Amino acid sequence: MRLLIVEDEALMREVLTKLARERCSFESVSSVADGEEALAAFEEEAFDVVLLDLLIPKICGVNLAVRIFQHWP
């Protein structure tokens, strides 16, 4: 399974990424800081799980979730 972490706080993003890589059996773990980066990541790779902060810059988490479900159900 492939995981995408969407979190604007750098320290939190690093901690979540490290935990996911060390403690979970994900095939790959990617992380981005905002909604636009998340959409760009989906253009390059299909993710099975998204850990999404709702209060992120550029595209709010709720709108991002809707767009992800519309384009990559």
Side-chain angles (χ1 to χ4, degrees), residues 1-7 13-14 16-18 20-21 26-33 37-38 41-42 44-47 49-51:
M1 292 181 70
R2 294 169 304 272
L3 170 67
L4 176 64
I5 298 169
V6 185
E7 169 61 58
R13 189 171 57 248
E14 289 176 36
L16 291 170
T17 300
K18 184 174 180 173
R21 286 188 176 141
F26 288 104
E27 192 177 303
S28 72
V29 178
S30 300
S31 64
V32 297
E37 289 179 4
F42 263 93
E44 295 179 19
E45 183 178 356
F47 294 96
V49 177
V50 178
L51 182 59

Side-chain angles (χ1 to χ4, degrees), residues 45-60:
E45 183 178 356
F47 294 96
D48 302 300
V49 177
V50 178
L51 182 59
L52 176 59
D53 182 358
L54 294 179
L55 300 173
I56 54 173
K58 300 189 181 174
I59 302 172
C60 82

